[in-house]
Amino acid sequence: MAKQIPLTIFILAWLLSLDSWAIAESEKAGVTADKSSEKEVLSVDQIVNKTNHVAYYQGFDGRAKVKMTITDSQGRQRIRELTILRWDKPDANLPKKEQHKDSSFCGEQKIYAFFNRPADVYKTVFMVWKHLDKDDDRWMYLPALDLVKRISATDKRTSFVGAHFFYEDVSGRNINDDVHELVKTTKDYYILKNTPKDPKLVEFAYFKMWIHRKSFIVVKTDYYDSQNKEYRTYEALEIKQIQGYSTVTKGKMTDLRTKGNTIAEYSNIKYDIGIPESIFTERYLRKPARRYLK
Amino acid sequence: MFFTILQHTRLIGISMILLLLVVAVYAQEEPSLPAGLSDSQSQDSQPALPSGLGAEPAAPNGLDLEPSLPSGLGTAASLGVEEAETKLAKESWLDVTGFWEVRSGYRLRSDKYEKDASIGETRLQLEMEKTLDEFTFKTTADLYYDWISEDHSVDLERGEGFLDLREASVGFSPTDFMDVKLGRQILTWGTGDLVFINDLFPKDWQAFFIGRDTEYLKAPSDALKASFFTDLANVDVVYSPRFDSDRFITGERISYWNGSTIAGTDDIVRTDKPDDWFSDDEWALRVSKNIKGYELSAYGYWGYWKSPGGFDTSKGRYTFPKLNVYGASARGQMGKGIGNIEMGYYDSRDDRYGDEPFVNNSQIRYLIGYEQDLPEIAPDFTVGLQYYVEQMLHYGDYRRTLPSGNKAAEEYRHLLTFRITKLYWNQNLAYSLFTYFSPSDKDVYMRPNINYKVNDNLAVEVGANVFWGDYPHTFFGQFEDNTNIYTAIRYSF
């Protein structure tokens, strides 16, 4: 079981974050589709940065309960339920008051995921320290053995806890790993084509993203193989405003080859809680951080 | 009049069809916005169908099709609306979880001292947790019936009978920087993978060898654990008021080398165990710090050899001589995987000079390990390697005082471990093989296992414990006749 958990956790965490406040920011910057500001154009890098921020960095911390329904090619379903806590390292270059208000800031993060279901992994905890310049640090706590295990973090493109989401889908793919092209701008979307700088490291040839222009939410992502055939697709199914942040509360990843899919639903979402950094340590692997999990 | 109305209706009908066509064409080029994303001028005020246009056959370059906006992005109104938080289901008063399992196994070689069946039991584990104010009460009890064992009276120390109490503890935090856990509990630390140097908490080797789940390798301690968390370092202190030995090999279920021959039920290990409360106690200490993801620890242990480490010739009983252990470990990301290194000095206090033939000599134990995913070879494929060395100190004195006729141990015991894990079918099917191989003892212990999760509650597994050795007196070689295969079915709730 130990092996199965790690990847899953991440995905969920990140999918949580979409910003209404980013919208306000982008409006100031003149990014919206309003007629008055239509001529102002964002650079590809700006779009990519804001999208990354909205997807993974809303608020200065957050919590969500995630339910993943995994359906395999034969229609059999498995449920994974976990509660995720997220902490963002503040931007040291900004004064305290300004920290977390820079919509382009995407720094280091810490993630704590507590498993509720299935029963055989109840109380298992998965913890990640996400780095930008090196591989993430990952731990897993197995309660029956009181064992704090270190998990290898190189395999970012394999399933997270058996779901169709990859570890990288949950935790966010490093934006520096791809070349980004703005293919088209429509009324609602920026359409981006992303091509990996090192194709040997990934299973896709490129992927396309439909980014909602106002909210910078990724509404759809299609992955293509080297034969230019689409084989994997992500769709945001439901977005809610939570404390002013546009948040994806339901998303679906489909494997077009096997027809299997995973639907991730987020509930009990809260931002800007004030979770101390100390929660993301071995102490709270062994003793669940119940206060913040509720 | 009637005709006119009819004409009008037809006209309206036609124009509506035309309008629908226009909308449809428009929609094909531009995915409609999902509810919550579009502004008030948008024509897509209705939440669009989620599956929408993305599933349409792709245009040659595929980039012209757009997804419909998901629910929540389509309507202007919803953008400003704060969604009420979803309320979590009310927590139950008492949190009860656990599993029920049936496990059965047979020897693959005949063993004249043991039964053919190696394991045969049904087990109900109930785990209960209750938090009252600042106190968390935890109980994990295994109720089981073992039809191989002839004795069903409960022995909580050895976990025998129909009840194995795995945990009965209360935890609390007297200050911000301190956690306390008091009572029966499972304790683990150190960096080895199924190899232990500074983890001197009790192990159940019998459970491990007969094919119980790996979690049963850890036996509970009756202890007080106090942990202190400071910026300088974290400190864990574990006090066991009465010595908790391993659940070691006794000959009842596993045949073993008794010093001169292979024995089993004909020669049950009888021990003289230190068991006075508060005088035959154990202390274990760990000082640890995580520096940028690298976990550094120093350890101390003051107690006894956990499995019999001596022999009292006058009483004809095995003993648990005094032992202190001092060690250190480091673990962290190394290259593409996880590296760990650990060592420990075993100070056998009843045989400081190595010339006491019936007490274990002092040792230094070393471990270096590495684990990595290999996505280049296959997804969900992990391998781990460890190299472990046990160095006997005062080896000359050991050889000089060794009673004639006894097989001498090597000065250095080298041990390699190799773990390989591969997952299939959305990680519901797991193949794993853990192998111990000692080039110095010329023996091998392999633990193959296949586990399949039929659904979220039900799992089935089959596995084996394979021992092989050139000599009958080596660590794993002595268990050769205990080679067994087992199968289990477990329902978790």
Side-chain angles (χ1 to χ4, degrees), chain B residues 348-374:
Chain B
S348 189
R349 285 156 61 211
D350 290 341
D351 188 17
R352 284 235 156 104
Y353 303 103
D355 52 4
E356 175 57 64
F358 296 106
V359 175
N360 281 0
N361 270 33
S362 294
Q363 298 175 342
I364 300 179
R365 297 183 176 189
Y366 314 84
L367 174 72
I368 183 163
Y370 183 74
E371 185 176 299
Q372 197 196 311
D373 293 326
L374 290 172

Side-chain angles (χ1 to χ4, degrees), chain A residues 36-201:
Chain A
S36 56
S37 53
E38 215 157 37
K39 283 170 194 164
E40 293 192 50
V41 176
L42 281 180
S43 73
V44 179
D45 283 351
Q46 282 170 313
I47 296 169
V48 167
N49 255 314
K50 280 179 187 292
T51 304
N52 193 34
H53 185 93
V54 166
Y56 302 110
Y57 290 89
Q58 299 205 100
F60 55 84
D61 63 18
R63 177 205 62 213
K65 195 170 176 186
V66 189
K67 180 182 176 185
M68 296 182 101
T69 306
I70 305 163
T71 307
D72 71 13
S73 51
Q74 291 162 57
R76 288 173 299 207
Q77 290 196 334
R78 316 269 173 153
I79 308 288
R80 305 278 176 268
E81 264 180 32
L82 49 156
T83 304
I84 295 180
L85 306 177
R86 189 197 93 213
W87 176 90
D88 293 358
K89 189 176 182 174
D91 185 349
N93 299 321
L94 290 173
K96 267 223 156 121
K97 280 189 174 176
E98 300 299 313
Q99 283 170 359
H100 304 296
K101 291 193 175 171
D102 171 5
S103 67
S104 66
F105 177 68
C106 301
E108 303 218 323
Q109 292 181 314
K110 294 185 177 180
I111 307 295
Y112 178 103
F114 178 89
F115 277 81
N116 292 301
R117 279 181 73 186
D120 65 338
V121 294
Y122 178 52
K123 291 180 191 169
T124 298
V125 184
F126 181 59
M127 182 171 80
V128 181
W129 292 3
K130 183 183 169 187
H131 304 296
L132 302 181
D133 51 347
K134 58 173 184 174
D135 280 335
D136 299 344
D137 289 308
R138 298 188 206 165
W139 288 266
M140 188 151 60
Y141 176 66
L142 305 173
L145 288 155
D146 186 42
L147 177 66
V148 176
K149 208 172 137 55
R150 199 65 189 256
I151 307 288
S152 172
T154 45
D155 198 356
K156 294 187 173 70
R157 299 200 64 80
T158 46
S159 161
F160 173 65
V161 293
H164 295 86
F165 289 96
F166 290 160
Y167 170 85
E168 207 170 60
D169 301 319
V170 185
S171 63
R173 178 167 167 81
N174 193 324
I175 56 176
N176 298 320
D177 288 347
D178 301 310
V179 176
H180 312 276
E181 269 172 84
L182 180 60
V183 178
K184 197 174 172 184
T185 304
T186 68
K187 181 169 83 52
D188 290 327
Y189 298 107
Y190 295 112
I191 303 172
L192 252 56
K193 182 179 176 184
N194 310 276
T195 312
K197 289 178 184 167
D198 187 349
K200 288 195 295 285
L201 296 179

